[in-house]
Amino acid sequence: MNTQQKSKNASSLKKKQDFLTLADLGEEQLLSLLEEAIDLKSKQKMGIPHEYAKGKSLAMIFEKASTRTRISFEMGMIQLGGHAIFLNSKDIQLGRGESISDTAKVLSGYVDGIMIRTFAHETIEELAEEASVPVINGLTDLHHPAQVLADLMTIFERKGKLEGLKLCFIGDGNNNIAHSLLQGAAMTGMDMTVASPHGFEPDPDLYHQARTAAEQKGSSISFTYSPEEAAVSADVVVTDVWTSMGQENETKKRLAAFKSYQVNEALCELADSDYMFLHCLPAHRGEEVTAGIIDGPHSSVFEEAENRLHAQKALLKMLLA
């Protein structure tokens, strides 16, 4: 057997890496990924080519609509020298009764990676189990790790560190942003407090896992029903929409439940004087956040949105290149 054949065989035996939650990364790998994202951002700004995924292809399955996720992954692949294929549920047989297993196996024969934005987290777990190429979570109802990579990158750029910072999440603690932030905070040594109304607490298993991991690093994860308590001395204030896709029939109930959880000027007076505000977008000004906060001097939401591109490029380079 020649050297080329040996190399090919060894490569085929390598275990693929998926990205379903931030916990799929080790702590060192996560920090390295953030450094890589900042480096790729610098390369783009200076016009330095960075085609680390030349010749690679990514299938992008969208069962939920998207702006930032689609554009960041599609442009990310283009800038890395690769190609992305957009597939919504009407374009593929997955939306017409084909099993997740069959779809995973078929796509694995065509592309180098699969990104999916879907509802149930079990869908992406099954897809990853059956696919022989890396699977990336573009969003599920339980986790949104691709977004939180950009959040962590944005915090690091503005604050110069992650460890030791205090982050508060105000709103629906049982949503995907809150869950992925809990994992990210625990992994990077940030203190994090979630403030939600009764009935909207974080997933208990994810919360306790994050709290245990944080304690091992000497940081803290906590929960409160008081948004004021959570906001005190916060370096980073984060919120999300009160009604996510698929929850539209709960809108009236949610507006009533969250009315005292708006991120506004009075609440942010309790935060650190140099606090930063993050929101994954789209935002509903006048509901979860006031225009004065999201469009004010402490807001980093548009840097955060841009950083989706650079964080996703770093992730794609790691998984596909």
Side-chain angles (χ1 to χ4, degrees):
M1 184 181 293
N2 62 35
T3 303
Q4 187 175 6
Q5 288 173 319
K6 287 180 181 179
S7 176
K8 185 176 180 180
N9 288 348
S11 177
S12 67
L13 292 173
K14 283 172 62 179
K15 190 179 188 307
K16 60 140 180 168
Q17 181 172 3
D18 298 310
F19 183 68
L20 309 188
T21 77
L22 285 178
D24 288 325
L25 304 173
E27 292 176 17
E28 289 185 9
Q29 193 175 32
L30 172 58
L31 294 175
S32 176
L33 198 59
L34 296 177
E35 290 175 359
E36 181 68 34
I38 292 170
D39 181 62
L40 290 172
K41 183 177 183 177
S42 177
K43 283 184 168 67
Q44 183 191 356
K45 300 297 184 186
M46 293 188 290
I48 300 173
H50 43 282
E51 295 186 334
Y52 298 110
K54 194 167 185 176
K56 301 291 185 178
S57 57
L58 178 73
M60 306 188 305
I61 302 173
F62 286 86
E63 295 188 320
K64 277 190 172 185
S66 167
T67 299
R68 283 149 292 276
T69 298
R70 176 176 178 178
I71 296 171
S72 61
F73 276 104
E74 191 161 341
M75 287 306 301
M77 283 299 291
I78 291 170
Q79 291 179 16
L80 290 172
H83 183 70
I85 305 166
F86 173 79
L87 303 166
N88 66 32
S89 56
K90 296 178 182 177
D91 294 328
I92 58 175
Q93 302 302 324
L94 183 63
R96 296 166 58 186
E98 183 169 69
S99 71
I100 295 171
S101 174
D102 287 356
T103 298
K105 291 171 183 174
V106 168
L107 288 178
S108 294
Y110 295 148
V111 299
D112 300 290
I114 303 168
M115 187 281 294
I116 183 169
R117 183 177 170 93
T118 187
F119 292 89
H121 195 73
E122 292 76 16
T123 297
I124 197 170
E125 290 178 328
E126 183 177 352
L127 189 71
E129 180 69 25
E130 299 295 336
S132 58
V133 297
V135 172
I136 299 169
N137 184 352
L139 174 143
T140 66
D141 288 343
L142 195 63
H143 290 279
H144 199 353
Q147 173 65 53
V148 171
L149 278 180
D151 295 354
L152 296 174
M153 175 185 174
T154 308
I155 296 167
F156 186 82
E157 282 185 311
R158 180 154 172 178
K159 296 293 186 180
K161 65 175 184 176
L162 294 171
E163 188 173 6
L165 294 177
K166 179 183 178 183
L167 180 149
C168 70
F169 179 90
I170 312 291
D172 186 357
N174 195 34
N175 87 345
N176 46 29
I177 294 293
H179 291 153
S180 289
L181 278 172
L182 283 168
Q183 288 188 331
M187 293 172 72
T188 57
M190 287 194 291
D191 297 322
M192 178 174 172
T193 303
V194 178
S196 304
H198 289 275
F200 297 94
E201 299 87 351
D203 177 272
D205 290 337
L206 290 172
Y207 175 77
H208 289 299
Q209 288 168 10
R211 188 168 183 175
T212 299
E215 288 173 353
Q216 292 173 350
K217 288 187 69 67
S219 57
S220 67
I221 298 291
S222 60
F223 175 83
T224 179
Y225 293 109
S226 167
E228 292 79 12
E229 180 183 337
V232 171
S233 301
D235 298 293
V236 187
V237 179
V238 188
T239 192
D240 193 7
V241 293
W242 292 340
T243 305
S244 297
M245 281 182 284
Q247 299 172 335
E248 289 80 4
N249 62 332
E250 301 175 14
T251 299
K252 187 175 180 180
K253 168 192 169 185
R254 286 172 170 270
L255 286 175
F258 290 107
K259 64 182 180 180
S260 61
Y261 287 79
Q262 184 186 72
V263 176
N264 53 36
E265 287 78 357
L267 184 69
C268 291
E269 281 290 325
L270 301 171
D272 183 79
S273 60
D274 190 35
Y275 81 92
M276 61 186 294
F277 173 75
L278 297 178
H279 190 306
C280 65
L281 302 179
H284 298 154
R285 288 165 175 80
E287 286 187 16
E288 74 273 7
V289 62
T290 61
I293 296 299
I294 194 170
D295 299 318
H298 293 275
S299 176
S300 294
V301 297
F302 296 109
E303 294 92 334
E304 175 189 11
E306 180 192 338
N307 282 342
R308 286 292 303 273
L309 170 63
H310 310 297
Q312 261 70 116
K313 283 195 292 187
L315 178 65
L316 290 165
K317 179 186 175 185
M318 182 187 78
L319 296 179
L320 304 184

